Amino acid sequence: MSLSIELNQGHVAPLGASVLADGVNFAVYAPLAKQLYVCLFDSSGHTEVLKLAMNNNEGGIWSLYIAPLAAGTLYGYRADGDYQPKKGLFFNSQKLLIDPYAKDLFGEFTWSERHYGQMPIGTLSTVNNAIDIPKSKVVQLLPYQGRKPQHSWGKTVIYECHVKGATARHPTIPAQLQGTYLGLSHPSFIEHLRSLGITTLELLPVHSFISEQFLTAKGLQNYWGYNTLNFFTPHKEYLVTDEIAEFQQMVTKLHEAGIEVILDVVYNHTAEAGSDGPILSWRGLNNLGYYRTVTDNPAVYINDTGCGNTLNIDDPFSLKMVLDSLRYWVEIMGVDGFRFDLATILGRTAHGFSQAHSFLQAINQDPILSQIKLIAEPWDIGPGGYQLGAFPAPWREWNDKYRDVVRRFWQGQNNMLAELAKRLHGSFDLFEHNHRGPLNSINFITSHDGFTLTDLVSYEQKHNEANGEQNRDGHSANYSFNCGFEGFTDDAKITTLRLQQQKNLLLTLLLSKGVPMLSSGSEMGHSQGGNNNAYCQNNRTGWLAWKDSQRSHSLTRFIDDVLSIRKQYCVFKHSVFLHDTDKRFAVNWYTEQSNAMQESDWHDGSKQFLMYSLQDTQLNTALLIILNASDVAVKCQLPALDGDLRWRLALSSVAQAELKNKEQFEVAAQSSWVFTGNLEDQGHG
């Protein structure tokens, strides 16, 4: 580190560390602090070589320009001021703070008592935590230069996966790339996605995160990543060379293959946990701004996330940080969109959720963010937290009602037909009221959270003992069915039925109106041994078990077959709900005898059979879908077609299915069937 340096006031924008000419500008928001310091470290990150006072500016932003200084510099902040937790103030200059706008981090995070402001409780800690916390690192990345695929929602098929778990055991990806960003962009994985018909990769959290202390005490890790340490830095465990540009390389390769990248982002809470948690970054700079606290009692955090704290998006600088982070990942890292974890929190004021929240308005008017893919997980555990269908255009939403209704139907429950029909055709009851369409529904059967597809048909009870919480964690209402035996079995009859039920679920999902999302492993029979909350299983439980002949797996081939049908029918790209007045498309519902469904049929609770056709009068094509969830076969009469068209069996969940009589046949128990009238060519739509 040079001893001859130039210091000046610096600039208040942009926040964070910016390389300018031969120096670096530092800017950080801490309106209630008495003094801010930039602390510079040697290249090892172990020795603090300079502690430089920053300058206070209008609006509570502290700044300092240091020259000569370059990219690669390691630094952190220290904030001096009042330490009064009862008033929501946590200033402690002994705590080195990560820059909320850091674009890279150096070194490992280690849990220790040094991160806490009071140790023991009630005694102000004077212990320096620098040895146990990553250092912020000055970087200078060029904006993303690649060409983005920009798939329309009508053509989008999402594949949700974990960066590490997707390729950690992949047999044809080099060992050094397994479980990394570059592993996802390896030709073997890209070819797998393309063979499935995937257009969009949705990654579980890749913002830098740490494991909670209660997990490390058990010898476990936070595997999923919903415990953010920094909103701008890629999680470094997934790098090969420690260079964050690898993330850009991954995005470029995926884009070149026509595959979009969506990030699952966690802007609802941070790794600093409750008010008795560690001081790592935001708490030590502006606790009252970054976190929601109880009115008139700032010592108490509002915990609408269940994770100890809730980010306060009502605060202008908290809102700015989230928006700046989103733009950074789009403009610099090249991503195509985001799935927002517990998104209700981002639209909640002190008076509840509002479509007019400043965050939603800011997104809508932003020239960059309004043009990308935006997906909400529309619930949290706070008051009025369930907001499915309440987000404004252009938002899409995870549709858990779709998930549960389809599961319950194939589980064999009665009284499901009427609601199932709504879900199959885009859930108009949820989205049409605020001028949205079927493509606003993200349909899914399984996701990272809950049973895998294979476990859904193999377990009726969760088996989460490995998580160390006596099987108390995870959902209990799974609507799962084990096909006659709990867990693994080599009974041929049971395994055949399980495979058939997985195909039933996949066929239903991929031929429903809306945007389909597959969870990784659905195409290869991935099991977590009945663990429906594998958030801490950074091991073979959570990692996909690849085989050399993966492309020949019956589920992989089946998904490809169903998606091939989906892509040929324009009705699935149609962005508005189908009504009787539609001039092009028509949906018709039939009984087993091919009569039109009547009101009494819809309300016959014992019926577990549904048959319907989708017709395109413009192209003179038709699709017939038959779903039989009952445990007995059903004799079925196929409906008549106009003109010279005849039904042709295109696909079935039944192994070696065939149609001997084209007018009438027996629909096997717990099976699904697809018939085509005349396939459209790929150029239509």
Side-chain angles (χ1 to χ4, degrees):
M1 186 71 64
S2 172
L3 298 179
S4 176
I5 59 174
E6 171 195 344
L7 306 177
N8 65 40
Q9 182 77 18
H11 308 285
V12 298
L15 293 174
S18 307
V19 178
L20 302 172
D22 63 343
V24 175
N25 187 79
F26 296 90
V28 61
Y29 180 64
L32 299 180
K34 294 180 179 177
Q35 182 62 56
L36 256 290
Y37 301 92
V38 174
C39 302
L40 304 181
F41 287 78
D42 68 3
S43 60
S44 73
H46 295 150
T47 303
E48 185 174 333
V49 295
L50 282 175
K51 179 182 177 182
L52 302 170
M54 302 182 74
N55 304 294
N56 197 1
N57 300 276
E58 179 182 2
I61 297 177
W62 299 76
S63 64
L64 184 66
Y65 178 80
I66 306 174
L69 211 58
T73 298
L74 306 183
Y75 71 101
Y77 294 127
R78 295 189 187 276
D80 206 355
D82 294 331
Y83 186 87
Q84 299 183 47
K86 290 185 178 180
K87 294 183 178 180
L89 301 175
F90 288 89
F91 297 111
N92 186 331
S93 60
Q94 293 301 313
K95 308 306 170 187
L96 187 75
L97 304 173
I98 294 172
D99 183 354
Y101 277 72
K103 306 305 189 299
D104 196 2
L105 299 177
F106 178 87
E108 300 295 323
F109 175 85
T110 304
W111 279 107
S112 77
E113 66 179 26
R114 287 182 278 268
H115 294 305
Y116 293 87
Q118 302 178 79
M119 191 59 66
I121 298 298
T123 303
L124 180 65
S125 171
T126 58
V127 180
N128 189 337
N129 71 328
I131 191 174
D132 294 321
I133 197 163
K135 310 307 178 290
S136 304
K137 183 178 179 180
V138 179
V139 296
Q140 189 176 28
L141 284 182
L142 295 174
Y144 181 73
Q145 299 297 316
R147 183 176 181 180
K148 299 186 177 183
Q150 295 184 318
H151 295 299
S152 68
W153 281 111
K155 296 181 180 179
T156 297
V157 179
I158 299 172
Y159 184 89
E160 184 206 34
C161 78
H162 187 281
V163 173
K164 183 174 183 179
T167 65
R169 301 174 65 189
H170 199 295
T172 63
I173 293 178
Q176 69 270 23
L177 301 184
Q178 292 174 353
T180 68
Y181 301 120
L182 297 184
L184 293 181
S185 60
H186 187 274
S188 294
F189 188 70
I190 287 177
E191 176 56 30
H192 178 69
L193 296 178
R194 290 171 63 91
S195 71
L196 284 172
I198 301 301
T199 68
T200 305
L201 193 62
E202 182 177 310
L203 302 180
L204 265 65
V206 300
H207 292 169
S208 290
F209 63 87
I210 59 174
S211 295
E212 294 86 344
Q213 192 169 22
F214 76 88
L215 284 178
T216 59
K218 298 177 188 177
L220 297 171
Q221 295 175 288
N222 186 317
Y223 171 58
W224 286 349
Y226 294 90
N227 196 42
T228 307
L229 185 65
N230 180 268
F231 292 116
F232 291 83
T233 307
H235 191 61
K236 306 204 71 173
E237 181 188 352
Y238 307 147
L239 296 172
V240 177
T241 66
D242 203 47
E243 293 296 328
I244 59 173
E246 288 179 16
F247 188 93
Q248 287 180 322
Q249 296 172 31
M250 172 197 73
V251 174
T252 300
K253 289 294 185 183
L254 288 165
H255 282 174
E256 289 174 351
I259 298 170
E260 297 175 312
V261 179
I262 289 178
L263 303 185
D264 191 337
V265 287
V266 190
Y267 294 111
N268 55 74
H269 76 282
T270 77
E272 289 186 313
S275 55
D276 58 348
I279 301 174
L280 307 176
S281 179
W282 307 274
R283 175 177 286 134
L285 292 168
N286 187 29
N287 178 69
L288 292 174
Y290 283 121
Y291 298 116
R292 290 191 182 276
T293 57
V294 173
T295 304
D296 300 326
N297 191 0
V300 179
Y301 280 0
I302 291 173
N303 187 17
D304 291 337
T305 64
C307 300
N309 65 56
T310 303
L311 210 61
N312 179 22
I313 305 297
D314 283 345
D315 181 86
F317 275 84
S318 296
L319 174 61
K320 174 178 169 55
M321 177 186 68
V322 172
L323 295 173
D324 288 346
S325 170
L326 292 170
R327 289 191 208 94
Y328 180 80
W329 286 95
V330 173
E331 294 185 289
I332 305 299
M333 293 302 194
V335 305
D336 304 278
F338 304 95
R339 178 266 189 189
F340 292 80
D341 182 62
L342 304 184
T344 301
I345 284 171
L346 302 177
R348 181 187 276 118
T349 68
H351 305 291
F353 178 84
S354 171
Q355 286 191 4
H357 191 282
S358 56
F359 171 75
L360 299 176
Q361 290 193 52
I363 291 281
N364 193 49
Q365 62 80 40
D366 190 284
I368 296 167
L369 300 180
S370 62
Q371 302 303 309
I372 62 172
K373 283 183 162 69
L374 301 167
I375 302 173
E377 181 186 40
W379 52 77
D380 64 23
I381 65 170
Y386 191 75
Q387 293 292 333
L388 177 61
F391 281 73
W395 286 77
R396 271 60 188 168
E397 301 178 38
W398 269 29
N399 190 342
D400 67 324
K401 286 191 175 181
Y402 177 93
R403 175 198 66 195
D404 292 349
V405 168
V406 173
R407 286 187 180 191
R408 291 169 63 194
F409 173 75
W410 286 111
Q411 188 186 39
Q413 290 192 24
N414 291 329
N415 299 296
M416 298 304 302
L417 293 193
E419 190 170 0
L420 177 65
K422 294 177 184 177
R423 304 298 155 239
L424 295 177
H425 287 275
S427 299
F428 69 88
D429 56 323
L430 300 176
F431 299 106
E432 195 169 28
H433 69 93
N434 59 357
H435 310 292
R436 295 193 293 163
L439 295 175
N440 287 90
S441 176
I442 303 295
N443 297 333
F444 65 104
I445 304 295
T446 57
S447 68
H448 69 276
D449 188 4
F451 280 136
T452 68
L453 185 65
T454 292
D455 288 352
L456 186 67
V457 300
S458 304
Y459 296 91
E460 293 188 359
Q461 306 296 327
K462 60 184 180 180
H463 298 270
N464 298 355
E465 290 80 7
N467 297 351
E469 298 181 43
Q470 292 77 50
N471 206 33
R472 293 191 300 264
D473 62 308
H475 299 293
S476 296
N478 296 290
Y479 307 117
S480 59
F481 37 98
N482 63 22
C483 297
F485 185 84
E486 186 75 357
F488 175 80
T489 178
D490 55 8
D491 184 296
K493 184 177 180 181
I494 293 176
T495 56
T496 298
L497 178 57
R498 285 177 177 175
L499 180 62
Q500 187 166 308
Q501 286 281 40
Q502 289 176 77
K503 289 182 176 180
N504 290 333
L505 291 159
L506 288 168
L507 186 148
T508 306
L509 170 66
L510 299 176
L511 292 182
S512 293
K513 294 206 67 179
V515 179
M517 183 187 81
L518 290 165
S519 58
S520 62
S522 298
E523 74 278 22
M524 62 181 74
H526 174 60
S527 172
Q528 293 176 169
N531 191 324
N532 76 346
N533 189 34
Y535 77 103
C536 56
Q537 298 300 321
N538 186 10
N539 49 48
R540 288 175 174 250
T541 296
W543 304 342
L544 300 188
W546 293 85
K547 295 180 175 60
D548 291 323
S549 58
Q550 190 56 55
R551 269 186 280 180
S552 65
H553 195 291
S554 60
L555 289 174
T556 301
R557 297 196 311 273
F558 187 78
I559 290 170
D560 181 37
D561 289 343
V562 182
L563 283 176
S564 294
I565 294 173
R566 178 186 178 94
K567 290 174 182 177
Q568 295 176 65
Y569 282 84
C570 299
V571 68
F572 296 111
K573 306 179 185 76
H574 200 42
S575 61
V576 297
F577 289 104
L578 296 185
H579 295 292
D580 293 339
T581 56
D582 194 288
K583 295 180 180 180
R584 177 177 177 181
F585 298 105
V587 57
N588 298 296
W589 307 91
Y590 302 101
T591 65
E592 301 92 318
Q593 296 78 31
S594 197
N595 297 318
M597 288 274 284
Q598 303 298 314
E599 194 72 19
S600 58
D601 296 311
W602 287 112
H603 294 289
D604 183 345
S606 64
K607 283 185 176 291
Q608 297 174 317
F609 175 95
L610 192 63
M611 177 166 62
Y612 61 99
S613 68
L614 296 165
Q615 294 181 300
D616 184 339
T617 58
Q618 180 176 313
L619 296 175
N620 194 27
T621 60
L623 193 66
L624 183 71
I625 299 172
I626 301 174
L627 310 174
N628 180 21
S630 66
D631 56 6
V632 296
V634 175
K635 289 185 178 180
C636 173
Q637 180 76 36
L638 297 186
L641 275 172
D642 295 333
D644 297 328
L645 293 179
R646 293 291 183 269
W647 292 120
R648 181 179 69 85
L649 176 60
L651 194 65
S652 173
S653 64
V654 177
Q656 299 176 333
E658 59 178 325
L659 186 62
K660 295 180 180 179
N661 184 336
K662 293 186 178 181
E663 306 303 326
Q664 185 173 4
F665 79 110
E666 191 171 79
V667 180
Q670 297 164 314
S671 69
S672 51
W673 303 71
V674 181
F675 294 83
T676 58
N678 180 42
L679 288 179
E680 304 167 17
D681 63 59
Q682 297 290 341
H684 290 309

